[in-house]
Amino acid sequence: MASSSASPGEPSSLEKHITCSICMDLFEEPVTTVCGHSFCKNCVTKTFHINDSMCPLCKTHLSKTPDVNIVLRDIVQQVKKTLQKDKVQEILAPGEVVCDVCTEPKMKAEKSCLVCLASYCSTHLENHCSTGRLKGHKLVEPVAKLDDRACLKHGRSLELYSRRQQTCICVSCLDDGQEEVVSTEEEWNSKKAKLEKTKTELQQKIQRRKTKMDEINTALKSCKDELENEWWEIDAVFSAVVAIIEQAQAQVMQPLKDRRQVLEKEAKDLNDELEKEIKELQATISELDDIAVLEDHILFLQKYPSIQDPDSIKDWTEVELDTSLSFGTMRKTITTMMEEIQLKLEMLSSVELKRVPKFTVDVKLDPNSAHQRLVLSDDGKEVKDGGEDKEVDDSPKRFDLFASVLGLNSLTSGKSYWEVEVSNKSGWDLGVARGDAKRKGKLTLNPGNGYWVTVHYQDEEYAAMTAPPRRLQLKAKPKKVGVFVSYDEGLVSFYNVTAQSHIYSFTQCSFTGELYPYFSPHMKQDEKNSEPLVISDGKHCDQNTDKP
């Protein structure tokens, strides 16, 4: 209290008032003279013998030694206790415990006894350890709140542990032997061993989470790098498309600008000529007005022949401004522009083909759905026309007219991708079919009947089986075709993996129920089209290298 506002080594204002001016220490048995000054009683008594009963400060005569000032004495004692407590707090570091036996000043405790429920400094700890009956007591590092180590009900130390109650108890808490009780030390050893195991398990969990964080951050960086690369690739394509459009716009607009300039010049030339003739005609009218008033016959006749004959003036009836416009150049420019744009947009297919392999599924063929002419490989990865019907089990899943087969994979959500080697085949069908789509008899392959398919036929012809079918123009014959399905987005896309180009996409499809990969190798004709369709692993080769 007294030292809280004073700096170390500097007495507070209260200490100054309770300090004896003779011994310069805090009052001991303070007395107050009639003149109002206070001193230690012993100090004043000694002064009486020396200065003949005079106040040491103001020299006022004192008839006798004053009595002890009880109020001031109590104040001084309270201040001394506060100062002593502050000194102890200054000595102790945060978290340290004081000795329970020390009076003033209290020293730092070295150990706490869990039996005596007291903390001891080094001096009192020596007394505790030297006492024979106390040598068996459990000593631990100093504990601040030893009351927490005592039974609140019986006031005894908590020496036992109840495993049923999962708490520490004292000897008086034992319940007729019904408790599974062990010593606190035994339970401590047990829990310490378990704690180490738990700690190890937690450390392993932390390590697994750190590893997972590293995986996530690595995946994030990889994906961001991939997105960055795709960003610039796509940006370059659209920048090129914009440049093509701007160039085409300039080419289309230039003839219009040129034609407008020609029209303006022709119109100006005609207008200039008309204005010139108008001025000439107006001059002629003025001359006619001048001779019309002449009464001199001879003069009239002499002037009249000089006037231009109106019949000889240019006839403007058939003259028109040529306002015809030519569109042939514009159509040619637009056609060229669309071809160039299509070429640039095809570059985006390579970006898509970098993404889709991550959705590769292991497609295998379903022998129960295969037409009886078809021959499937043992691993379910190849199918070809065997040339003749073979004996097979009758199955409601089997195609009985079309040489087709479905995959075993059921597609009901998410994204899926697979690739099929079509080699030099002259005909094939690839795509997906709804699980409940018709398989018996003559089939009409289109989305309305549950088929999303592209076909290759007659060596060089390709078509998307829409309603009606749409012929496709492919610049290169594919050797490997990729099929990508996004069930949730209603999308089926076909790619020429070899050329890294897009073939066709069915969009806004209404998928219901299960979808299955669909294949048809078409029937062979002599030795033509005899090669199989082969489902590959989806790790297509780079368009410029032979490396996967």
Side-chain angles (χ1 to χ4, degrees):
M1 177 180 70
S3 61
S4 59
S5 61
S7 61
E10 179 184 351
S12 67
S13 58
L14 180 57
E15 286 184 62
K16 292 178 181 178
H17 291 297
I18 60 174
T19 300
C20 177
S21 58
I22 298 175
C23 66
M24 301 305 294
D25 201 352
L26 296 183
F27 290 134
E28 288 288 346
E29 297 293 315
V31 296
T32 303
T33 63
V34 293
C35 56
H37 297 116
S38 297
F39 307 94
C40 296
K41 183 176 181 180
N42 288 338
C43 293
V44 173
T45 301
K46 294 177 182 178
T47 304
F48 277 6
H49 295 294
I50 298 172
N51 296 329
D52 195 18
S53 302
M54 295 176 59
C55 175
L57 289 179
C58 64
K59 307 304 179 181
T60 301
H61 178 73
L62 302 178
S63 59
K64 64 175 181 177
T65 302
D67 293 328
V68 174
N69 187 330
I70 299 175
V71 175
L72 184 56
R73 182 187 62 188
D74 293 342
I75 293 174
V76 172
Q77 289 177 350
Q78 184 62 40
V79 170
K80 285 182 177 181
K81 289 181 181 179
T82 302
L83 291 175
Q84 187 62 44
K85 182 178 179 181
D86 290 344
K87 288 180 180 179
V88 172
Q89 290 176 345
E90 289 177 4
I91 295 172
L92 297 178
E96 292 182 338
V97 181
V98 297
C99 177
D100 290 325
V101 182
C102 291
T103 53
E104 299 296 344
K106 285 186 174 293
M107 303 303 291
K108 171 187 171 183
E110 296 293 334
K111 294 287 184 179
S112 292
C113 178
L114 297 183
V115 179
C116 299
L117 296 179
S119 298
Y120 303 102
C121 64
S122 57
T123 302
H124 294 107
L125 179 62
E126 185 178 352
N127 295 334
H128 179 280
C129 294
S130 61
T131 304
R133 62 183 179 83
L134 303 179
K135 286 184 178 181
H137 288 192
K138 180 68 174 178
L139 296 174
V140 297
E141 293 301 314
V143 178
K145 296 182 179 180
L146 281 170
D147 287 344
D148 294 341
R149 270 66 177 173
C151 176
L152 298 178
K153 182 178 180 182
H154 303 103
R156 302 188 63 171
S157 62
L158 301 173
E159 302 176 28
L160 304 174
Y161 183 82
S162 170
R163 289 179 172 172
R164 183 174 65 84
Q165 298 181 35
Q166 291 290 298
T167 187
C168 295
I169 61 174
C170 68
V171 176
S172 299
C173 291
L174 290 175
D175 185 12
D176 299 330
Q178 296 179 5
E179 299 278 359
E180 184 183 355
V181 176
V182 294
S183 68
T184 53
E185 185 173 0
E186 180 180 345
E187 188 64 20
W188 175 81
N189 289 326
S190 173
K191 290 234 179 333
K192 190 79 179 290
K194 185 178 179 181
L195 182 145
E196 290 300 325
K197 181 181 178 182
T198 302
K199 182 180 175 182
T200 301
E201 291 175 353
L202 293 177
Q203 290 290 358
Q204 291 173 349
K205 289 182 178 180
I206 290 173
Q207 188 57 45
R208 285 196 292 269
R209 280 153 179 77
K210 287 183 177 179
T211 302
K212 180 58 67 176
M213 288 177 63
D214 291 340
E215 291 176 0
I216 291 171
N217 292 332
T218 301
L220 172 63
K221 183 180 183 304
S222 175
C223 188
K224 285 175 68 176
D225 291 342
E226 185 178 349
L227 288 173
E228 185 76 12
N229 293 333
E230 288 189 11
W231 176 285
W232 291 114
E233 289 182 22
I234 295 172
D235 182 73
V237 169
F238 280 96
S239 296
V241 169
V242 170
I244 291 171
I245 294 174
E246 290 176 347
Q247 182 181 3
Q249 181 187 23
Q251 291 177 355
V252 170
M253 298 299 290
Q254 190 59 46
L256 298 180
K257 292 179 181 178
D258 295 342
R259 183 60 181 150
R260 184 171 62 185
Q261 291 176 356
V262 171
L263 283 173
E264 289 175 348
K265 186 178 183 305
E266 290 179 354
K268 184 178 183 302
D269 291 344
L270 290 175
N271 286 329
D272 290 346
E273 188 176 352
L274 286 169
E275 287 180 358
K276 179 182 177 182
E277 292 189 4
I278 289 171
K279 289 180 181 179
E280 291 176 353
L281 291 173
Q282 288 176 341
T284 301
I285 291 173
S286 178
E287 290 181 13
L288 291 175
D289 289 340
D290 290 343
I291 66 173
V293 298
L294 294 176
E295 294 184 359
D296 185 336
H297 300 165
I298 296 173
L299 182 61
F300 176 85
L301 293 174
Q302 289 176 340
K303 288 185 175 291
Y304 191 85
S306 64
I307 301 173
Q308 186 177 2
D309 184 1
D311 294 333
S312 65
I313 299 175
K314 182 177 180 179
D315 184 7
W316 286 84
T317 304
E318 300 298 328
V319 177
E320 292 182 354
L321 180 66
D322 182 7
T323 58
S324 62
L325 300 176
S326 176
F327 289 96
T329 303
M330 181 174 68
R331 176 50 52 196
K332 179 181 178 182
T333 301
I334 291 176
T335 301
T336 302
M337 178 192 72
M338 295 303 295
E339 291 175 352
E340 291 179 354
I341 288 176
Q342 187 61 36
L343 287 174
K344 292 296 181 182
L345 291 179
E346 280 296 332
M347 296 174 66
L348 295 178
S349 298
S350 62
V351 176
E352 293 178 326
L353 281 168
K354 290 177 183 178
R355 297 177 182 172
V356 294
K358 69 178 65 174
F359 303 110
T360 298
V361 293
D362 184 19
V363 174
K364 291 186 178 181
L365 302 172
D366 180 6
N368 291 326
S369 68
H371 186 276
Q372 57 188 0
R373 281 177 63 99
L374 298 182
V375 177
L376 276 60
S377 62
D378 293 338
D379 61 0
K381 292 289 187 177
E382 299 183 18
V383 57
K384 65 179 180 179
D385 177 23
E388 60 182 6
D389 292 348
K390 59 181 183 296
E391 293 292 331
V392 294
D393 295 334
D394 187 24
S395 170
K397 298 180 179 180
R398 194 178 305 282
F399 290 91
D400 64 350
L401 186 60
F402 274 38
S404 304
V405 61
L406 297 181
L408 285 169
N409 305 66
S410 172
L411 313 178
T412 56
S413 64
K415 298 176 176 62
S416 305
Y417 177 75
W418 60 94
E419 294 179 355
V420 183
E421 295 179 11
V422 296
S423 303
N424 294 316
K425 290 181 67 61
S426 59
W428 45 258
D429 296 356
L430 294 174
V432 293
R434 206 169 53 229
D436 60 355
K438 180 182 177 182
R439 304 184 193 180
K440 303 295 185 181
K442 187 175 182 180
L443 305 180
T444 301
L445 303 179
N446 60 45
N449 293 324
Y451 290 90
W452 291 266
V453 176
T454 57
V455 303
H456 171 42
Y457 60 101
Q458 295 180 359
D459 288 340
E460 301 296 332
E461 299 296 327
Y462 299 88
M465 301 308 291
T466 55
R470 178 176 177 178
R471 180 172 291 183
L472 304 175
Q473 300 294 330
L474 272 63
K475 294 185 178 295
K477 186 175 183 179
K479 293 184 178 180
K480 182 181 287 189
V481 175
V483 183
F484 174 71
V485 180
S486 179
Y487 192 98
D488 302 325
E489 296 176 3
L491 174 69
V492 182
S493 294
F494 300 86
Y495 298 93
N496 182 343
V497 178
T498 311
Q500 295 281 290
S501 61
H502 176 252
I503 297 175
Y504 185 76
S505 287
F506 291 90
T507 59
Q508 298 180 342
C509 307
S510 299
F511 296 140
T512 56
E514 298 176 324
L515 294 179
Y516 293 90
Y518 172 83
F519 307 84
S520 176
H522 287 195
M523 294 183 181
K524 67 179 181 179
Q525 303 168 354
D526 298 329
E527 292 305 316
K528 246 180 134 178
N529 204 39
S530 60
E531 296 185 14
L533 291 176
V534 181
I535 304 169
S536 61
D537 59 5
K539 297 179 180 178
H540 53 259
C541 295
D542 186 89
Q543 57 182 344
N544 297 322
T545 69
D546 293 328
K547 296 179 180 180

